Amino acid sequence: MKIIAGNWKMNGSRAALVEMQDALANIETENTVILCVPFVFIAASNNSVAIGAQDVSVHDHGAFTGEISANMLAGIGAKYVIVGHSERRMYHGETNEIVKQKASMALSAGLTPIICVGETMEERNSGKTMEIIELGVRESVPSNGGDVIVAYEPRWAIGAGITPSDEDIAAAHSLIAESLTKMGRGGTPILYGASVKGSNAKQIMSIPHVDGVLVGGASLKPDDFIPIITATK
Ligand code: PEP
């Protein structure tokens, strides 16, 4: 059984969510399907698949205009929240420390954080991939609290239509698994994300320690998302 999580980013509509949920209601799979949609669509979900958000505040409540707390997300039916996505790190300056605070807030509200780590192209070119991944896990994943999911997303491959080699994905996931075990979090699911599509999903999910995928662009339309979900039963 794999975890297939979609990240709609700032795309979609209520109608698109209804259409996706109707389409997903008819497929046969033992995989866990999660849709992380913009905040405003969460309450429109019919709960036929697990719903997640794409960010959460580090604060519990108070004078933080525009922020949404983990308890608010849980209150409208979210079960998961992505934290530390590359775009949050890049456009909003989120550090590992902030990501860990967000993950902890999610855990305290009963949400499962999907914690993203991964290297930029610059870091890759300077041979720092493994260091960045190990640091990302050690500094972004809370050492206690409930269950988490970790997503390895090579930042240079997101939305780019390219993926690392199978060997590179295997090495990254094996390092993440090892780091999580050292933290007492052995067995944590580890997703691969960046340019996953119907044509590469099966191969990627056959790589050791790849427990599923986090999908951006190809999660927006049923015709693209369903082949990924059914790539492995
Ligand atoms: C993402 O943004 O999390 C992602 C994986 O995007 P894409 O699948 O479009 O590369």
Side-chain angles (χ1 to χ4, degrees):
M1 199 196 83
K2 302 286 187 183
I3 298 171
I4 316 290
N7 171 16
W8 277 17
K9 311 192 186 193
M10 198 171 71
N11 293 299
S13 62
R14 288 172 72 106
L17 180 58
V18 171
E19 188 199 336
M20 178 64 82
Q21 289 189 320
D22 286 350
L24 296 184
N26 297 322
I27 63 168
E28 271 186 36
T29 181
E30 285 177 12
N31 295 329
T32 300
V33 180
I34 304 165
L35 275 179
C36 296
V37 296
F39 291 131
V40 290
F41 304 145
I42 293 173
S45 164
N46 65 13
N47 293 321
S48 63
V49 294
I51 285 287
Q54 301 167 12
D55 183 36
V56 66
S57 176
V58 295
H59 304 288
D60 182 52
H61 68 279
F64 301 104
T65 303
E67 294 280 281
I68 311 269
S69 76
N71 280 319
M72 291 173 185
L73 292 177
I76 53 166
K79 302 282 183 246
Y80 297 85
V81 59
I82 297 172
V83 291
H85 187 276
S86 154
E87 288 144 21
R88 300 293 314 176
R89 291 177 184 263
M90 184 164 45
Y91 303 131
H92 302 273
E94 293 191 4
T95 59
N96 287 339
E97 192 188 349
I98 293 172
V99 174
K100 185 176 182 175
Q101 286 172 19
K102 291 187 170 194
S104 296
M105 290 309 283
L107 287 171
S108 61
L111 301 173
T112 302
I114 302 174
I115 304 167
C116 302
V117 298
E119 78 287 359
T120 62
M121 180 57 99
E122 199 184 345
E123 288 159 349
R124 175 179 160 90
N125 288 343
S126 51
K128 288 192 181 152
T129 298
M130 293 314 219
E131 189 188 321
I132 293 296
I133 292 172
E134 198 273 330
L135 205 63
V137 173
R138 188 153 40 86
E139 294 185 346
S140 308
V141 177
S143 49
N144 47 33
D147 291 343
V148 304
I149 295 172
V150 171
Y152 169 55
E153 295 210 304
R155 291 166 64 173
W156 50 273
I158 293 177
I162 46 170
T163 58
S165 67
D166 288 2
E167 291 71 27
D168 284 352
I169 296 175
H173 280 244
S174 154
L175 175 64
I176 294 169
E178 202 180 294
S179 307
L180 289 165
T181 300
K182 277 191 201 147
M183 296 173 70
R185 285 199 173 276
T188 293
I190 306 167
L191 312 185
Y192 167 80
S195 299
V196 175
K197 40 193 185 229
S199 55
N200 62 15
K202 187 172 183 186
Q203 173 59 27
I204 290 172
M205 286 192 274
S206 72
I207 298 170
H209 296 298
V210 176
D211 302 305
V213 286
L214 178 54
V215 186
S219 68
L220 291 171
K221 295 204 172 85
D223 284 355
D224 295 326
F225 198 34
I226 289 172
I228 297 174
I229 298 167
T230 55
T232 65
K233 301 276 170 180

